[in-house]
């Protein structure tokens, strides 16, 4: 598969407390399943060979000896599998007993990491049995006939996949400063946490927040797995909580309170993690702290280069749009608030009463108009001071014309209708343009005429023009230079087309609008995206469909997200797009429009270099004032050559 993906797994075996032989058999079964699924890194819970709840039985020589025998048995069983395995067990060393994570590959132990933070409050009293890693004197230990490194200063680097593993155990995560923080600063990109966290009301959510936040702070993958229900004893109940995070997001999660053994897996994107760290210039600021001076021993190994072309993690077709309804609604509400706050500040700062906006009956101008209305309501200003101008031209259809007029009336703003036909006809005569030649000059003249009208009305009314162009159009350069490209403040410049659709729908369903406005918004959503600069067809319908010309916006927004957010290569984006759109587009179509995206994105930078102000609403923004410092004359050939 390549592209920086490493498949990891979290396992919760069905165990018997203090029965190492039974536990070893269950662990071996899961390792076999993991190998079948081509999992590269597999993590089991804390003290998984003995079970966590053995209490004073940890002092029994029989238990410790059988745990060691079981480790040797598990390793011997795993010698033919291309899976790195991490199990938990008690290990005696330096006149003490340590709660340890043992990492091995095939029949070789890579290293042992003892638990750093030993809880000893409420239901936990581990200090009765175990010492913290800081009390360790030795730096090696003999296990299964092998002398191997031991300590909290170990990192494990797979030179085949680029994965660098850091290990921590349960309570290490709950400390004010987690061991994994320093492990990541020294190069770890995947953290394994072997845990035995009991279930309490609300603890599941808190635990999830801890892991997701730690993976976000460390910009890392994080594999968390905890003891299952079969370890429940006396006052404690365990649920087998296991999940996998990547940079603040849960990418795979198991089912708690499962009576059978459980195995979950997904891919961690190492390339993405490294790229995010390089982009985040504050990431290594912690290197200045004294704790960073801790030296880590890097244990190198190499797994087999087993190609796996199946990506099991979900790749959202709409990366700008949350898939969860509640999150999506909250996102739309928040974006509206950001847009309104930005426009309100500009109005208050300039001290004007009026804004001018062109209304076409399309998605972008509809959203911008809604923002203007919400802003005027927020400022307790008269909606009549919003001057909406519809400017029918040669390509305007009855559907969009009627929608624009009716929407402005229903929202209670000032309505102006100014046809651009006569002005454009005169202009065509002046520049000797054949009116029957529907080329770019024919189209751009109309766009610039509309902008001239808006600008002049704004000057006359002592107001300013609110721009309607969106992020997707800016990325593709799908705007007429000094036409719809220009305004005094562009409220949609940070929002991609795929998200604008959801925002208009959200407004129709959740804003307190009259029935007429709601129905108009729903019809706008159903109208094909078009600049309407070419005359309608014989039936009076839109003949110029934007997505037929530049390609589907759902593809271009997908490309935009991965090009700018993570800097992925064209081949990786192609791979992801084929996975996300496998039932919708062929590889040939995906490559065709990806080439179009790169060509337009590179050649149209000059338009983005002089964008008007507008609110930044997400992690991706094309403003030349902060988010995209790109030369206007860079070549795109390196990127396209990767797609040949």
């Amino acid at each position: 598969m390549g592209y920086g993906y490493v498949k990891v797994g979290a396992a919760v075996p069905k165990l018997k407390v203090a029965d190492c032989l039974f536990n070893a058999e269950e662990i071996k079964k899961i390792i076999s399943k993991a190998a079948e699924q081509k999992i590269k890194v597999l993590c089991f819970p804390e003290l998984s060979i003995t079970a966590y709840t053995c209490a004073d039985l940890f002092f029994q020589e029989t238990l410790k000896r059988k745990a060691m025998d079981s480790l040797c048995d598990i390793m011997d069983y795993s010698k033919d599998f291309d899976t790195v395995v991490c199990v938990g067990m008690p290990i005696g060393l330096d006149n003490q007993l340590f709660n340890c994570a043992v990492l091995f590959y095939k029949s070789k132990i890579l290293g042992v990491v003892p638990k750093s933070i030993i809880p000893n409050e409420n239901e936990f009293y581990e200090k009765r049995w175990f010492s913290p890693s800081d009390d360790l004197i030795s730096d090696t230990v003999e296990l299964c006939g092998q002398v191997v490194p031991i300590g909290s200063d170990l990192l494990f680097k797979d030179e085949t996949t680029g994965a660098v593993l850091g290990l921590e155990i349960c309570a290490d995560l709950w400390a004010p400063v987690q061991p994994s923080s320093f492990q990541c600063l020294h190069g770890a990109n995947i953290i394994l946490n072997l845990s035995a966290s009991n279930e309490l009301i609300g603890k599941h959510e808190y635990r999830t927040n801890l892991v997701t936040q730690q993976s976000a702070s460390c910009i890392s993958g994080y594999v968390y797995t905890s003891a299952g229900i079969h370890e429940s004893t006396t006052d404690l109940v365990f649920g087998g909580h296991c999940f996998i995070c990547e940079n603040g997001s849960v990418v795979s999660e198991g089912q708690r309170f499962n009576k059978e053994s459980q195995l979950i897996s997904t891919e961690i994107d190492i390339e993405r993690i490294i790229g995010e760290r390089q982009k985040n210039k504050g990431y290594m600021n912690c290197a200045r702290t004294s704790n960073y001076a801790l030296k880590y021993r890097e244990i190198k190994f190499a797994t087999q280069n087993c190609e796996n072309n199946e990506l099991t993690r979900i790749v959202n077709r709409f990366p700008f749009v949350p898939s969860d309804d509640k999150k999506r609604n909250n996102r739309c509400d928040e974006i509206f608030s950001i847009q309104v706050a930005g426009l309100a500040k500009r109005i208050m700062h300039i001290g004007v009463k009026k804004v001018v906006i062109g209304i076409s009956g399309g998605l972008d101008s509809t959203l911008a108009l809604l923002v203007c209305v919400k802003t005027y309501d927020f400022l307790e200003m008269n909606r009549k001071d919003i001057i909406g101008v519809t400017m029918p031209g040669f390509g305007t259809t009855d559907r969009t014309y009627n929608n624009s007029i009716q929407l402005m009336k229903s929202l209670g703003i000032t309505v102006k209708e100014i046809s651009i036909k006569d002005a454009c006809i005169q202009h065509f005569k002046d520049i000797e343009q054949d009116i029957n030649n529907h080329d770019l000059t024919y189209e751009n003249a109309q766009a610039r005429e509309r902008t001239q009208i808006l600008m002049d009305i704004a000057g006359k009314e002592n107001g300013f023009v609110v721009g309607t162009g969106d992020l997707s159009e800016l990325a593709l350069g799908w705007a007429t230079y000094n036409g719809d490209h220009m305004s005094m403040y562009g409220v949609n410049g940070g929002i991609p087309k795929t998200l604008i659709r959801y925002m208009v729908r959200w407004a129709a369903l959740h804003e307190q609008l009259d029935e007429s406005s709601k129905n108009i918004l729903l019809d706008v959503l159903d109208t094909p995206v078009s600049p309407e600069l070419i005359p309608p067809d014989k039936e009076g319908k839109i003949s110029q469909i934007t997505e037929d010309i530049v390609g589907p916006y759902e593809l271009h927004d997908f490309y935009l997200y991965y090009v700018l957010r993570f800097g992925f290569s064209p081949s990786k984006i192609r791979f992801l797009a084929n996975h996300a759109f496998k039932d919708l587009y062929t590889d040939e179509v995906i490559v065709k429009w990806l080439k179009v995206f790169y060509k337009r994105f590179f050649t149209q930078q000059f338009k983005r270099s002089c964008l008007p102000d507008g609110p930044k609403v997400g992690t991706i923004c094309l403003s030349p004032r902060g988010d995209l410092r790109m030369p206007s004359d860079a070549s795109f050939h390196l990127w396209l050559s990767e797609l040949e």
Side-chain angles (χ1 to χ4, degrees):
M1 178 166 49
Y3 303 115
Y5 289 108
V6 175
K7 193 169 188 179
V8 299
V12 181
K14 181 170 64 175
L15 300 181
K16 290 184 178 180
V17 177
D19 191 339
C20 299
L21 300 180
F22 177 89
N23 299 343
E25 290 304 312
E26 289 298 313
I27 290 172
K28 289 192 293 184
K29 290 177 184 177
I30 294 177
I31 291 174
S32 179
K33 290 180 181 178
E36 290 176 4
Q37 297 177 23
K38 298 183 179 179
I39 293 174
K40 280 284 188 181
V41 179
L42 177 62
C43 184
F44 287 89
E46 181 178 10
L47 295 167
S48 46
I49 290 180
T50 59
Y52 174 77
T53 52
C54 291
D56 282 358
L57 294 179
F58 284 123
F59 293 131
Q60 293 290 315
E61 189 61 32
T62 297
L63 183 68
K64 290 182 284 188
R65 186 176 66 252
K66 289 300 181 182
M68 189 66 66
D69 292 343
S70 295
L71 173 66
C72 300
D73 177 42
I74 294 168
M75 288 172 49
D76 183 65
Y77 177 81
S78 306
K79 63 184 179 182
D80 295 325
F81 298 140
D82 188 41
T83 303
V84 180
V85 180
C86 191
V87 296
M89 62 179 289
I91 292 178
L93 186 66
D94 297 336
N95 302 313
Q96 302 166 88
L97 194 62
F98 296 93
N99 178 347
C100 294
V102 180
L103 191 74
F104 62 88
Y105 176 57
K106 295 185 178 292
S107 56
K108 176 178 174 57
I109 298 175
L110 300 174
V112 179
V113 176
K115 192 172 185 176
S116 296
I117 309 298
I118 307 299
N120 213 59
E121 67 283 340
N122 300 324
E123 64 265 45
F124 299 105
Y125 40 93
E126 285 186 35
K127 285 186 178 180
R128 181 179 177 92
W129 314 297
F130 299 115
S131 298
S133 61
D134 284 349
D135 290 351
L136 190 68
I137 298 173
S138 303
D139 59 6
T140 60
V141 63
E142 184 175 349
L143 300 177
C144 301
Q146 303 177 38
V147 177
V148 299
I150 185 172
S152 59
D153 60 341
L154 299 182
L155 296 177
F156 305 91
K157 182 176 182 179
D158 181 359
E159 295 187 302
T160 302
T161 65
V164 181
L165 307 177
L167 312 183
E168 59 184 12
I169 303 175
C170 199
D172 294 347
L173 170 67
W174 299 68
V177 180
Q178 298 88 343
S180 56
S181 298
F182 297 108
Q183 292 169 359
C184 287
L185 287 173
H186 283 81
N189 45 43
I190 298 177
I191 301 298
L192 308 182
N193 187 307
L194 301 77
S195 186
S197 182
N198 63 313
E199 297 298 336
L200 301 170
I201 294 174
K203 192 175 183 181
H204 162 255
E205 290 83 3
Y206 188 79
R207 200 163 42 216
T208 302
N209 289 338
L210 275 178
V211 175
T212 52
Q213 181 57 51
Q214 183 65 0
S215 72
S217 299
C218 293
I219 311 180
S220 71
Y222 202 109
V223 182
Y224 180 95
T225 182
S226 185
I229 64 170
H230 295 284
E231 293 209 42
S232 302
T233 185
T234 56
D235 299 332
L236 300 185
V237 173
F238 296 88
H241 190 194
C242 61
F243 59 109
I244 300 168
C245 290
E246 180 182 286
N247 196 13
S249 298
V250 177
V251 288
S252 182
E253 186 167 15
Q255 180 182 1
R256 290 187 300 153
F257 305 110
N258 200 320
K259 68 178 180 179
E260 301 298 331
S261 292
Q262 187 173 185
L263 173 64
I264 65 169
S265 64
T266 191
E267 294 80 16
I268 296 294
D269 192 341
I270 301 295
E271 180 182 308
R272 171 184 171 181
I273 289 169
I274 294 173
E276 287 287 281
R277 289 179 178 181
Q278 292 174 347
K279 188 185 296 184
N280 186 339
K281 299 307 177 185
Y283 186 78
M284 290 301 291
N285 282 351
C286 294
R288 300 189 185 96
T289 66
S290 58
N291 282 331
Y292 185 80
L294 292 170
K295 300 297 182 182
Y296 280 80
R297 289 177 284 170
E298 186 176 75
I299 312 301
K300 296 182 179 180
F301 64 101
T303 57
Q304 296 172 6
N305 188 17
C306 180
E307 287 297 326
N308 177 18
N309 293 319
E310 182 183 359
L311 187 65
T312 61
R313 64 186 279 170
I314 295 174
V315 179
N316 189 357
R317 288 181 178 177
F318 307 104
F320 292 103
V321 183
S323 55
D324 178 77
D325 288 343
K326 183 178 179 181
K327 290 182 179 179
R328 186 166 59 245
N329 290 337
N330 290 339
R331 178 74 56 86
C332 291
D333 185 37
E334 186 174 17
I335 291 174
F336 264 119
S337 297
I338 293 172
Q339 290 176 289
V340 167
L343 181 57
K345 169 62 177 179
R346 180 55 54 91
I347 291 172
M348 290 186 291
H349 175 69
I350 297 178
V352 299
K353 291 184 178 180
K354 297 182 179 181
V355 296
V356 180
I357 179 172
I359 306 299
S360 67
L363 276 172
D364 292 349
S365 65
T366 296
L367 178 60
L369 176 56
L370 292 171
V371 171
C372 289
V373 168
K374 287 173 69 71
T375 302
Y376 270 66
D377 291 348
F378 173 73
L379 293 174
E380 299 179 341
M381 295 173 65
N382 190 342
R383 289 189 183 184
K384 287 294 182 182
D385 286 332
I386 302 172
I387 303 173
V389 188
T390 186
M391 296 164 281
F394 304 115
T396 303
T397 59
D398 291 342
R399 181 180 188 180
T400 54
Y401 169 77
N402 290 328
N403 278 341
S404 62
I405 293 292
Q406 294 305 317
L407 183 60
M408 289 189 285
K409 288 181 178 179
S410 68
L411 292 174
I413 71 168
T414 296
V415 180
K416 285 186 179 293
E417 178 183 342
I418 302 174
S419 172
I420 64 169
K421 292 181 180 178
D422 290 342
C424 287
I425 290 172
Q426 180 60 51
H427 183 60
F428 292 153
K429 291 179 181 179
D430 293 340
I431 65 172
E432 299 178 347
Q433 166 74 16
D434 182 357
I435 196 172
N436 296 310
N437 181 8
H438 300 160
D439 59 4
L440 279 178
T441 302
Y442 178 87
E443 295 184 35
N444 290 340
Q446 296 175 69
R448 292 193 178 102
E449 178 61 27
R450 285 175 171 146
T451 301
Q452 176 179 252
I453 290 171
L454 295 176
M455 291 289 184
D456 289 344
I457 291 176
K460 179 183 177 183
E461 298 287 347
N462 191 30
F464 66 84
V465 176
V466 174
T468 63
D470 63 53
L471 183 69
S472 306
E473 292 177 344
L474 293 174
L476 296 170
W478 189 250
T480 299
Y481 195 86
N482 207 32
D484 53 316
H485 160 260
M486 192 48 59
S487 66
M488 282 78 168
Y489 193 76
V491 293
N492 294 340
I495 311 173
K497 189 76 78 177
T498 48
L499 183 54
I500 282 181
R501 288 188 177 276
Y502 282 95
M503 292 192 64
V504 172
R505 183 176 298 279
W506 178 86
L509 300 179
H510 297 278
E511 289 288 275
Q512 295 180 351
L513 300 172
D514 58 70
E515 197 64 23
S516 174
S517 298
K518 176 181 176 181
N519 290 334
I520 295 168
L521 294 184
L522 293 177
D523 191 64
V524 168
L525 283 166
D526 196 42
T527 304
V529 177
S530 171
E532 291 194 316
L533 298 172
I534 301 296
D537 61 20
K538 294 179 181 179
E539 298 178 355
K541 296 180 180 180
I542 296 173
S543 62
Q544 186 184 25
I545 308 298
T546 297
E547 292 180 288
D548 290 345
I549 302 170
V550 297
Y553 274 117
E554 60 186 358
L555 281 179
H556 285 308
D557 284 357
F558 186 90
Y559 302 153
L560 174 63
Y561 180 80
Y562 286 106
V563 167
L564 284 191
R565 182 70 176 83
F566 303 116
F568 285 169
S569 66
S571 58
K572 183 169 183 176
I573 295 172
R574 175 185 184 177
F575 170 77
L576 291 172
N578 272 298
H579 183 74
F581 296 96
K582 58 186 175 183
D583 299 326
L584 191 58
Y585 298 111
T586 64
D587 176 65
E588 182 181 12
V589 172
I590 285 171
V591 171
K592 170 188 173 181
W593 294 121
L594 184 52
K595 289 181 177 180
V596 168
F597 176 86
Y598 276 113
K599 287 180 180 178
R600 294 194 67 96
F601 184 75
F602 273 78
T603 60
Q604 301 297 298
Q605 171 61 16
F606 72 96
K607 293 181 182 178
R608 299 188 290 267
S609 294
C610 54
L611 287 178
D613 293 346
K616 177 180 178 179
V617 300
T619 54
I620 293 178
C621 181
L622 297 174
S623 169
R625 291 169 290 277
D627 289 274
L628 184 64
R629 307 296 177 87
M630 177 177 170
S632 297
D633 306 297
S635 171
F636 54 76
H637 290 97
L638 284 180
W639 284 261
L640 260 60
S641 65
E642 195 172 310
L643 296 171
E644 297 300 334

